[in-house]
Amino acid sequence: MMNLILLGPPGAGKGTQAKIIAANHGLIQLSTGDMLRAAVEAGSPVGRKAKAVMDRGELVPDEIVVEIISARLDGADCKGGVILDGFPRTLAQAAALDRVLKRKKLKLDAVIELKVNDDQLVERIAGRFTCATCGAGYHDRFRQPKTAGTCDVCGGKTFLRRPDDTAETVGRRLLVYYRETSPLLGYYYCKGNLRSVDGMGSVEDVGAAIEAHLPRR
Ligand code: AMP
């Protein structure tokens, strides 16, 4: 049982690695981005509020994401441990998370930072797409499906690109990361939780580097 945070700029590989760690350790992946996209898709009040902000590459208000995560952490499935991916993203969210964890008597075991060069981030984001059926991730240059137009994992034929994965929005998201989210590196360093990992290698190499930093059980 452990509770982890994956921290890093958009395109660093948080979602990819969170899925792998979650599967290897029986943790639940909690991605506020995925939850918000589901809310947008469902047309819920939160989704209607969030859509325009997300399309611009800006942050949804802290109260909304804190409430979503706090409610989700009450799920019985989260008792075995979670990996937070895309949350917290501001110092206010980090402070709120501390309070929520304390109230629920949960402990944060480690914060893993994925370090990737800015040029590489832009290239990774601008070419990525996912299978509409199973969510498997692909990339125009780095990871095409083995058979063009067919998902390797589930055989699906429909693929999606995120509306905020455009060249202009990526620049804004990176700026927001530096302004709002990068101070969390200092916050968690000072708490003694931060572990930094080179995120420039292959999915397997980065996964192995993360594993080496996870608390021994
Ligand atoms: P992601 O899938 O993590 O890249 O998130 C996509 C978008 O959802 C972000 O650009 C934000 O607009 C919004 N979002 C996701 N997580 C948060 C968060 N913790 N705080 C504020 N906005 C968020």
Side-chain angles (χ1 to χ4, degrees):
M1 143 80 182
M2 55 185 159
N3 297 307
L4 307 172
I5 293 176
L6 268 187
L7 203 57
K14 297 187 297 295
T16 302
Q17 294 297 336
K19 284 188 182 64
I20 297 172
I21 303 166
N24 287 347
H25 295 270
L27 306 177
I28 297 292
Q29 177 194 3
L30 299 184
S31 157
T32 39
D34 284 350
M35 294 176 200
L36 289 166
R37 277 185 289 279
V40 169
E41 197 64 31
S44 72
V46 163
R48 286 201 298 275
K49 250 192 226 162
K51 179 164 181 13
V53 179
M54 292 172 73
D55 285 349
R56 282 200 305 273
E58 284 161 15
L59 294 183
V60 171
D62 291 335
E63 316 78 76
I64 293 184
V65 285
V66 168
E67 178 50 37
I68 291 179
I69 281 289
S70 173
R72 187 64 188 82
L73 281 172
D74 287 332
D77 56 342
C78 293
K79 298 276 178 285
V82 298
I83 176 154
L84 297 174
D85 147 22
F87 180 92
R89 254 177 159 98
T90 64
L91 284 169
Q93 290 178 23
L97 177 64
D98 285 345
R99 289 192 295 272
V100 167
L101 291 176
K102 194 166 178 202
R103 199 164 62 234
K104 297 181 197 293
K105 299 195 167 48
L106 295 170
K107 183 171 148 277
L108 181 62
D109 293 279
V111 178
I112 312 279
E113 177 201 7
L114 292 178
K115 289 172 101 76
V116 173
N117 296 347
D118 294 343
D119 288 349
Q120 176 82 24
L121 293 173
V122 174
E123 197 168 59
R124 283 188 188 184
I125 293 183
R128 69 187 183 179
F129 59 99
T130 54
C131 170
T133 314
C134 75
Y138 296 97
H139 193 281
D140 293 329
R141 287 191 43 206
F142 309 128
R143 191 168 186 272
Q144 280 283 355
K146 291 194 181 74
T147 308
T150 305
C151 174
D152 297 348
V153 179
C154 75
K157 303 271 187 206
T158 316
F159 296 89
L160 298 173
R161 283 176 199 268
R162 281 171 46 171
D164 59 344
D165 275 354
T166 59
E168 349 39 302
T169 312
V170 171
R172 172 128 5 88
R173 284 160 64 199
L174 207 49
L175 195 65
V176 167
Y177 172 79
Y178 281 117
R179 196 178 57 215
E180 306 286 343
T181 310
S182 67
L184 299 190
L185 297 170
Y187 182 80
Y188 288 118
Y189 175 80
C190 292
K191 281 165 109 35
N193 282 327
L194 189 69
R195 314 278 179 267
S196 294
V197 164
D198 178 1
M200 291 291 288
S202 66
V203 170
E204 291 75 23
D205 288 349
V206 176
I210 295 175
E211 284 295 332
H213 279 295
L214 296 184
R216 298 277 146 249
R217 283 171 300 160

